[in-house]
Amino acid sequence: MYRCTECQAEFVDCPDFCDCGNDSFEEVYEQESYEEDYEEEPVYYEPPKRRKPPKRQLTEEELEELAEEEQDKKKALITVGVSLIITLIILCCPPYPQKKTAQAKQTATVKKVKLPDVSAYWDNTLPSAYRKGDPNSNIPLLNASFGSISTNMRAYLLEIGEEFSTQWASNVVDGSGEARIQFTINRDGLVENQKMIQKSRNESLDNSVLLLLSKIKNLEVPPPDYKGERIILSFKVDGKKGSKVSYPTYK
């Protein structure tokens, strides 16, 4: 016998559903009399398994709605992905075309500075403050003998002048003025005994020249004609004529 757990209706065979709509039943056993000499043995049984109701077939309209929902989800994911990619591109590659163009023009302007022929500059006014007390005054001054140097030596000096002119950041100088440096070169091309022998009254000019002097450490190996003489370079800034690097010549 089987009894409904809701309405307590009894059935001989276990049905799928009761008249009340319940599908849960418990098995009922009739009590039997046994002799006193025997103990009642427990009865073990497995409750009937609950059957799952059959899955409902979806209509065509419901299937179309599900397909549209899936497409909407895909579109939303694609939109989010594209937005993230655009954000990363903007953050990693900030657009600064005008600033970069200006910097490129300034660099090109500095590199275009060319050093004229050293014999074109003659300056016989060496300040007395730098003629006296110079620890390197015993070293011959190459600037005083430009008229008698060889072609190889003249070409070497032009290369040195171009090197200093190219690396000099004259565009950071405000105002005008002239500063001069002095140095020697050893046989390996190493710059030695470098110092500023004439300061201008323009702090920005002096700072730019001192920075250049500390930055240039090595030059091309000098030709055999060079005997370790002192070399003087002039850095001049003029509001009308611009900036130039030259070899002042002293007699």
Side-chain angles (χ1 to χ4, degrees):
M1 296 292 291
Y2 294 88
R3 181 181 298 159
C4 176
T5 58
E6 293 291 334
C7 65
Q8 302 299 316
E10 294 184 353
F11 301 89
V12 176
D13 297 322
C14 181
D16 293 335
F17 296 92
C18 180
D19 295 337
C20 66
N22 183 35
D23 61 347
S24 179
F25 301 88
E26 61 181 357
E27 191 172 0
V28 180
Y29 297 90
E30 296 180 356
Q31 295 182 354
E32 296 181 1
S33 59
Y34 295 91
E35 296 181 0
E36 295 179 358
D37 297 340
Y38 297 93
E39 296 180 357
E40 184 178 0
E41 295 181 358
V43 179
Y44 300 96
Y45 69 95
E46 294 182 0
K49 295 182 179 179
R50 183 174 180 178
R51 297 181 181 180
K52 295 181 179 180
K55 294 183 178 179
R56 185 172 63 86
Q57 295 276 341
L58 298 176
T59 62
E60 293 183 359
E61 294 180 354
E62 291 175 337
L63 290 174
E64 291 178 357
E65 290 180 358
L66 289 176
E68 291 179 357
E69 290 179 359
E70 290 294 331
Q71 289 181 356
D72 293 340
K73 290 180 180 179
K74 290 181 180 179
K75 290 180 181 179
L77 289 175
I78 293 173
T79 303
V80 173
V82 172
S83 300
L84 289 175
I85 292 173
I86 293 174
T87 303
L88 289 174
I89 292 174
I90 293 174
L91 293 176
C92 297
C93 304
Y96 299 127
Q98 296 180 353
K99 186 175 181 181
K100 290 183 178 180
T101 303
Q103 291 178 352
K105 288 182 179 180
Q106 290 179 359
T107 304
T109 302
V110 173
K111 290 185 177 180
K112 286 182 180 179
V113 178
K114 296 295 183 180
L115 185 71
D117 192 342
V118 293
S119 61
Y121 295 92
W122 295 88
D123 188 354
N124 300 324
T125 58
L126 179 64
S128 59
Y130 297 103
R131 287 200 300 267
K132 297 179 181 180
D134 186 354
N136 300 320
S137 59
N138 59 325
I139 302 176
L141 179 62
L142 183 62
N143 295 55
S145 58
F146 282 161
S148 60
I149 62 176
S150 64
T151 303
N152 292 338
M153 192 64 200
R154 187 181 298 274
Y156 179 68
L157 291 177
L158 286 173
E159 290 180 2
I160 293 177
E162 289 181 359
E163 178 71 16
F164 276 88
S165 179
T166 300
Q167 298 198 37
W168 179 35
S170 59
N171 56 326
V172 302
V173 178
D174 297 326
S176 60
E178 181 181 7
R180 295 180 179 181
I181 61 172
Q182 174 181 280
F183 58 90
T184 61
I185 307 170
N186 67 11
R187 299 311 305 171
D188 297 325
L190 182 66
V191 179
E192 296 179 339
N193 302 315
Q194 60 267 46
K195 58 183 288 188
M196 178 178 283
I197 61 171
Q198 177 178 322
K199 292 184 178 181
S200 67
R201 295 183 179 180
N202 188 330
E203 184 177 359
S204 62
L205 172 59
D206 293 341
N207 290 339
S208 68
V209 174
L210 287 172
L211 179 63
L212 176 67
L213 190 61
S214 65
K215 182 168 60 174
I216 297 182
K217 301 294 183 182
N218 291 87
L219 297 170
E220 293 292 333
V221 175
D225 300 347
Y226 178 68
K227 305 301 181 181
E229 297 93 340
R230 287 179 293 149
I231 299 174
I232 294 177
L233 272 176
S234 170
F235 298 84
K236 190 172 183 179
V237 177
D238 190 302
K240 296 181 180 180
K241 298 181 180 180
S243 60
K244 67 177 181 180
V245 180
S246 61
Y247 288 98
T249 307
Y250 305 105
K251 293 183 178 179

